[in-house]
Amino acid sequence: MTRTTPPRPLDVEALFPELAAHRGTTTRLHPRPGHPEVTASHVGGPLLWPVDEPWPVCPQPHGRRRGRRPADIHRYRQVLDTAWARDPSSGPTDEERQLLGELRREYRLEPEDAAAPTPLIGLAQLYRRDLPDLPAGPDGCDLLQVFWCPFDLHGPTGYGMHLDLRWRRSREVAEVLAAPPQPQVVGFDGYVPEPCVLHPEQVATYPFAGLLPEDLCARIYAWEDAREEAEEQTVEEEDAEENGEESADEGADRSARYQYDLSIPPGWRAGGFASWHTTDPGPMDCRVCETPMHLLLTVDSSEWDGGSGSWKPLEERDLPAHQYATPTEVTVGRWGELNVFACPADPGHPHGWSIQ
């Protein structure tokens, strides 16, 4: 089933013609629960990994000794989803609640197991043939495989993420590893993805406002401020009306904003522009050659939310967010998104990333 982004509430280039020179494209991945094949692009499914190549492990010893079992996390989600689908009013039965409590149990590893390297979790694999905006890999590589550590115990703060990206030429994989190693326990449920197939869709996109020319950015902010003031005035007028009828000058597109509706779509994406809605835009330059890096991939905690509902696919316009907006079950940071950057001068150079 395809996923189709609705037309934008407003023609942003009609409002700001200069944006035409900054227009780009991004490929929305639209991951949805399914049973992906090893030869397909997907999230959380089996990877095309050579049987004779060591599986990636976390290079940093970080004393992980306690956490939940990945199988319990998958089972917990399945029981909960089944219960709410069966009875949206009351959810799980008493027996199911008891099972859910057992599945939330944490386990402590033996010292020798805790000291062993932790296998990384295969988050996603993406073929360039499927995603028109996925930047090229090094030396003719056509397949990007994304891994991460299931513990937040890295970096100078001791609470950072460890990400590992591998490019490969898929045609060179002869025999596939059938049973990859898995971590015995994980420190955070959000690192465990549910298997999802992709429904790629290429859409137009525009840069984050703070990265546009100063004059254009100022005009966009002034336009948004004026709309917000007009909406506040409309609400006050509506509250004053005894019959509660909607004001005649209120349009269906009155809530549209550049940031939320007209520039960068939410959800998992390949290519395009990164959002900097949590922090100010920061330089993402290659650590090797200092070339400004381009957005490679966005990993998002949700496909849409209350502020970005205008991007909800037409095929899912009647679905409630609390049940359907988090198909991968991945959570980045505090319900944010992970933007991964690649060097355009040499895709083999180390990647960069930022959490928003």
Side-chain angles (χ1 to χ4, degrees), residues 276-289:
W276 296 91
H277 55 275
T278 301
T279 68
D280 290 331
M284 297 301 300
D285 297 333
C286 176
R287 299 195 302 269
V288 176
C289 66

Side-chain angles (χ1 to χ4, degrees), residues 246-310:
E246 190 174 33
S247 297
D249 61 349
E250 182 179 22
D253 64 343
R254 68 172 186 141
S255 63
R257 295 289 187 270
Y258 180 81
Q259 172 65 34
Y260 298 111
D261 303 284
L262 307 178
S263 58
I264 300 174
W268 289 58
R269 303 181 291 114
F273 305 108
S275 176
W276 296 91
H277 55 275
T278 301
T279 68
D280 290 331
M284 297 301 300
D285 297 333
C286 176
R287 299 195 302 269
V288 176
C289 66
E290 298 184 352
T291 300
M293 292 191 289
H294 294 173
L295 183 66
L296 175 68
L297 174 68
T298 295
V299 175
D300 207 334
S301 298
S302 65
E303 289 295 286
W304 69 82
D305 57 24
S308 57
S310 71

Side-chain angles (χ1 to χ4, degrees), residues 110-123:
E110 296 297 329
E112 59 271 21
D113 293 329
T118 300
L120 299 185
I121 290 178
L123 176 62

Side-chain angles (χ1 to χ4, degrees), residues 60-305:
Q60 180 175 336
H62 40 52
R64 64 252 170 242
R65 293 179 179 270
R66 190 177 183 89
R68 292 181 67 192
R69 293 173 176 172
D72 288 351
I73 294 173
H74 290 300
R75 178 64 176 149
Y76 179 93
R77 294 166 177 168
Q78 181 184 23
V79 171
L80 202 58
D81 289 346
T82 300
W84 285 113
R86 181 190 63 239
D87 189 348
S89 61
S90 60
T93 63
D94 291 340
E95 292 79 9
E96 287 170 330
R97 292 183 186 278
Q98 181 177 354
L99 174 58
L100 290 171
E102 295 172 358
L103 292 173
R104 286 198 62 83
R105 177 184 174 188
E106 289 192 344
Y107 292 83
R108 183 178 296 276
L109 297 182
E110 296 297 329
E112 59 271 21
D113 293 329
T118 300
L120 299 185
I121 290 178
L123 176 62
Q125 73 172 16
L126 307 172
Y127 286 87
R128 293 199 68 228
R129 68 174 187 239
D130 299 327
L131 310 173
D133 290 298
L134 184 67
D139 303 322
C141 291
D142 66 320
L143 176 61
L144 174 65
Q145 295 173 317
V146 184
F147 301 83
W148 57 14
C149 178
F151 288 89
D152 277 328
L153 297 167
H154 309 89
T157 66
Y159 294 96
M161 174 188 296
H162 174 70
L163 193 67
D164 190 342
L165 279 72
R166 307 289 182 96
W167 282 98
R168 70 170 65 254
R169 288 176 283 274
S170 60
R171 64 182 182 277
E172 295 179 352
V173 180
E175 184 178 357
V176 178
L177 182 64
Q182 296 291 322
Q184 294 187 50
V185 297
V186 303
F188 177 45
D189 301 2
Y191 281 129
V192 180
E194 289 298 311
C196 288
V197 297
L198 305 186
H199 305 83
E201 178 197 23
Q202 189 178 51
V203 299
T205 185
Y206 301 88
F208 184 74
L211 294 175
L212 291 168
E214 184 176 349
D215 177 67
L216 177 56
C217 178
R219 290 171 52 215
I220 290 175
Y221 286 158
W223 172 77
E224 290 187 325
D225 289 344
R227 288 175 66 82
E228 184 174 352
E229 291 178 3
E231 289 170 19
E232 292 176 353
Q233 178 66 29
T234 299
V235 170
E236 293 175 358
E237 293 174 355
E238 290 175 349
D239 290 342
E241 293 178 0
E242 292 184 357
N243 58 12
E245 294 180 354
E246 190 174 33
S247 297
D249 61 349
E250 182 179 22
D253 64 343
R254 68 172 186 141
S255 63
R257 295 289 187 270
Y258 180 81
Q259 172 65 34
Y260 298 111
D261 303 284
L262 307 178
S263 58
I264 300 174
W268 289 58
R269 303 181 291 114
F273 305 108
S275 176
W276 296 91
H277 55 275
T278 301
T279 68
D280 290 331
M284 297 301 300
D285 297 333
C286 176
R287 299 195 302 269
V288 176
C289 66
E290 298 184 352
T291 300
M293 292 191 289
H294 294 173
L295 183 66
L296 175 68
L297 174 68
T298 295
V299 175
D300 207 334
S301 298
S302 65
E303 289 295 286
W304 69 82
D305 57 24

